[in-house]
Amino acid sequence: MVVTRLLTRSPHQERTRALVKTVLYRAFMVVITVAVAWLVTGSTGDAVSIGLATNLLKTGTYYVYERAWDHISWGV
């Protein structure tokens, strides 16, 4: 019963808000990833490729993760 109660909570934020938060956060992370990749590789092209590829994947996983936590009432 406790597990069912923990997983049935309605979300605190709308999907649009979660999506905007996700996109803005990931844009910030792209800049950081590209900067670090450029420092490591010395190549602007490689750094941009690394930054975009990793962050596209991470954007999707972060959004799903945020939405999942919106349905958990533990700690709220």
Side-chain angles (χ1 to χ4, degrees):
M1 283 297 150
V2 172
V3 172
T4 302
R5 199 170 51 230
L6 287 174
L7 298 176
T8 58
R9 190 173 79 77
S10 24
H12 270 296
Q13 59 186 335
E14 294 181 16
R15 287 187 179 145
T16 304
R17 176 182 161 89
L19 184 59
V20 168
K21 282 174 54 182
T22 300
V23 169
L24 292 175
Y25 176 79
R26 291 316 315 169
F28 183 57
M29 292 299 103
V30 166
V31 171
I32 291 172
T33 304
V34 169
V36 170
W38 178 73
L39 288 171
V40 171
T41 66
S43 166
T44 303
D46 289 345
V48 170
S49 294
I50 291 167
L52 292 177
T54 60
N55 283 286
L56 283 173
L57 177 62
K58 290 177 182 180
T59 299
T61 56
Y62 178 77
Y63 179 78
V64 170
Y65 182 79
E66 275 282 310
R67 297 301 296 167
W69 270 100
D70 274 344
H71 295 282
I72 299 171
S73 61
W74 173 77
V76 177

